[in-house]
Amino acid sequence: MKNRRAVTISVTPAEYDSICTAFGEYFNKCEGADDDVFVEDANLDGNNFKTFQAKYKKACQRQLVRDTIKEALATQKSKEQ
């Protein structure tokens, strides 16, 4: 097995909403399928998507913390001058 490397992608909130909408439509179509293998694959896709959502939300929270700290430091620096 090859070593995995972390990949960073940039997804805007609008793109994230579009991805969620598209996946929701895809998953709704898959639920009505008669093919068991197809349904299993759709469930696996659903699990992968949940992981993506969790990572996206965590990244947004980290970015918010970074932005807040940066703003607080800039405010403090301007008060000192």
Side-chain angles (χ1 to χ4, degrees):
M1 187 172 167
K2 293 183 179 181
N3 291 335
R4 292 183 176 194
R5 293 184 182 180
V7 176
T8 302
I9 59 171
S10 178
V11 178
T12 66
E15 291 170 333
Y16 176 77
D17 290 341
S18 295
I19 291 168
C20 289
T21 300
F23 187 81
E25 291 171 3
Y26 160 75
F27 201 66
N28 286 338
K29 289 179 184 177
C30 293
E31 285 181 336
D34 293 330
D35 185 0
D36 290 340
V37 174
F38 186 72
V39 172
E40 280 182 36
D41 288 344
N43 287 334
L44 183 59
D45 290 340
N47 291 338
N48 291 337
F49 186 69
K50 288 176 187 172
T51 302
F52 166 73
Q53 284 179 310
K55 288 181 179 181
Y56 181 81
K57 289 176 183 176
K58 192 179 286 186
C60 287
Q61 289 172 337
R62 282 193 304 263
Q63 187 62 48
L64 181 61
V65 168
R66 279 190 217 116
D67 292 345
T68 303
I69 291 170
K70 190 182 232 182
E71 186 178 314
L73 290 173
T75 302
Q76 182 63 31
K77 196 174 200 177
S78 69
K79 286 181 181 178
E80 290 174 356
Q81 293 176 352

